[in-house]
């Protein structure tokens, strides 16, 4: 199968144990980037991806942020899908005793109610610092500005996250994607978007490349659709069992240069 474009997840897939790009990953992507476009696709916010683009010298390529909730071309949004503000209000009311941490993301803004354990860990992992502002105040501001959340991240003790998951599933199953990336996390996105919908938009409007000539790399549940749909879906060896089942190829673990190794062996 011809590989004319690469889409790669970041966390768990592309980064080394220090959550950075390895020398091999950088060199292999630089080697192919002028002939085969390499597009990063993640649940991260733009600024948590742009420093990786810079290292890889692919800042000229689009970015797929928030699992497809925000698509940037030349650093400008070509597709933006918000979670309605009413859902955020309902979640904030459910969490009035603040048992869980709510991180709110819109465009390249990240708001947290305080710099607690969860905020500090995310900041360390993504190399981005949030703005401290109460969830209630963020909601008020977004109402005035006619905005919503591209992503909501719920973080906390597993028992409280279980309660929040049940509440959201019961109340908004038709409106939201609820993604348990870890037992202590829920990533929330609009139901209408996914990594696959974003890939289809870019392939049809920006690249004019058939999806059967795309290769995609992933490790987690939010990668299933794209790995099934592209011509070559590649799972890293540390991927969830369900991801390996749908993948065409299994490469080395993400932390052991799985993406770079595949590129080196299959994209001459």
């Amino acid at each position: 199968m011809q590989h004319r474009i690469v889409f790669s997840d970041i966390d768990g897939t592309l980064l080394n144990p220090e959550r950075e790009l390895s020398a091999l990953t950088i060199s292999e992507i630089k080697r192919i980037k002028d002939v085969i476009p390499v597009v990063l696709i993640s649940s991260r916010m733009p600024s948590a991806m742009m420093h990786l683009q810079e290292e890889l010298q692919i800042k000229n390529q689009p970015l797929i942020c928030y699992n497809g909730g925000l698509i940037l071309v030349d650093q400008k949004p070509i597709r933006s899908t918000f979670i309605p503000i009413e859902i955020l209000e309902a979640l904030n009311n459910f969490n009035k005793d603040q048992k869980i941490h709510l991180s709110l993301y819109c465009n390249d803004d990240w708001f947290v109610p305080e710099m607690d354990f969860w905020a500090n860990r995310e900041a360390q992992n993504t190399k981005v610092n949030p703005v401290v502002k109460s969830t209630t105040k963020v909601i008020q501001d977004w109402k005035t500005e006619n905005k919503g959340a591209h992503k909501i991240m719920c973080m906390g003790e597993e028992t409280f996250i279980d309660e929040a998951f049940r509440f959201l599933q019961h109340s908004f199953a038709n409106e939201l994607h609820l993604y348990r990336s870890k037992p202590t996390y829920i990533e929330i996105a609009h139901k209408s978007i996914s990594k696959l919908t974003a890939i289809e938009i870019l392939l049809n409007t920006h690249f004019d490349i058939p999806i059967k000539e795309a290769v995609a790399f992933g490790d987690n549940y939010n990668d299933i659709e794209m790995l099934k749909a592209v011509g070559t879906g590649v799972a890293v060896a540390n991927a969830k069992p369900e991801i390996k089942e749908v993948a065409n190829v299994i490469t080395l673990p993400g932390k052991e240069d799985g993406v770079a190794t595949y590129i080196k062996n299959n994209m001459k």
Side-chain angles (χ1 to χ4, degrees):
M1 185 73 70
Q2 187 180 8
H3 298 333
R4 288 182 57 199
I5 188 167
V6 172
F7 295 94
S8 182
D9 173 54
I10 294 174
D11 297 286
T13 301
L14 195 64
L15 304 182
N16 67 14
E18 289 72 47
R19 300 182 77 92
E20 295 173 347
L21 295 164
S22 72
L24 182 63
T25 297
I26 292 170
S27 66
E28 280 302 310
I29 289 178
K30 282 184 179 178
R31 180 179 65 81
I32 67 167
K33 69 181 178 62
D34 294 333
V35 177
I36 300 171
V38 178
V39 178
L40 300 181
I41 180 165
S42 173
S43 64
R44 291 185 175 207
M45 64 194 292
S47 54
M49 301 170 70
M50 286 175 177
H51 66 93
L52 301 172
Q53 273 193 317
E54 200 159 335
E55 285 185 78
L56 296 167
Q57 296 180 3
I58 55 170
K59 285 200 80 170
N60 60 316
Q61 296 300 345
L63 269 184
I64 299 174
C65 315
Y66 302 125
N67 287 330
L70 180 65
I71 307 172
L72 301 179
V73 174
D74 298 324
Q75 282 82 53
K76 296 181 178 66
I78 64 159
R79 185 64 61 96
S80 175
T81 309
F82 289 138
I83 299 164
I85 203 78
E86 297 77 20
I87 293 178
L88 181 48
E89 286 183 303
L91 178 57
N92 191 38
N93 289 335
F94 168 83
N95 192 44
K96 57 185 177 292
D97 50 9
Q98 297 191 319
K99 287 179 179 175
I100 58 175
H101 168 103
L102 294 182
S103 271
L104 308 179
Y105 299 84
C106 176
N107 295 316
D108 211 21
D109 294 322
W110 170 25
F111 298 101
V112 299
E114 59 179 323
M115 283 306 295
D116 57 8
F117 165 81
W118 305 101
N120 277 299
R121 187 161 78 170
E122 279 298 297
Q124 186 177 3
N125 288 344
T126 60
K127 297 180 171 61
V128 177
N129 292 316
V131 174
V132 177
K133 188 187 286 190
S134 76
T135 304
T136 302
K137 182 70 169 78
V138 174
I139 291 170
Q140 289 171 351
D141 291 347
W142 283 356
K143 276 186 169 179
T144 304
E145 297 161 6
N146 199 26
K147 291 180 180 176
H150 282 117
K151 183 177 83 167
I152 303 168
M153 181 88 88
C154 302
M155 296 177 275
E157 292 179 31
E158 190 171 349
T159 51
F160 297 140
I161 291 296
D162 287 343
E163 289 175 24
F165 190 85
R166 284 192 292 271
F167 164 74
L168 290 163
Q169 200 169 40
H170 179 261
S171 305
F172 304 110
N174 296 324
E175 291 97 337
L176 298 176
H177 275 305
L178 303 174
Y179 164 54
R180 292 287 290 268
S181 49
K182 299 176 184 175
T184 53
Y185 280 44
I186 310 170
E187 291 183 30
I188 305 170
H190 196 284
K191 189 87 168 187
S192 67
I193 62 97
S194 69
K195 290 186 176 183
L196 175 58
T197 60
I199 285 173
E200 289 172 335
I201 288 165
L202 282 181
L203 291 180
N204 292 332
T205 65
H206 186 71
F207 289 109
D208 192 24
I209 294 174
I211 199 165
K212 68 178 184 294
E213 295 182 354
V215 57
F217 297 90
D219 74 307
N220 221 324
Y221 299 119
N222 57 343
D223 298 316
I224 286 179
E225 285 186 328
M226 76 168 181
L227 293 193
K228 284 172 70 175
V230 296
T232 308
V234 183
V236 286
N238 55 286
K240 305 284 189 198
E242 297 90 333
I243 312 306
K244 293 179 185 175
E245 277 181 30
V246 303
N248 304 107
V249 179
I250 298 171
T251 185
L252 293 173
K255 291 179 179 179
E256 297 175 24
D257 293 327
V259 174
T261 301
Y262 181 89
I263 291 172
K264 185 177 182 179
N265 293 336
N266 296 278
M267 300 185 201
K268 303 300 183 187

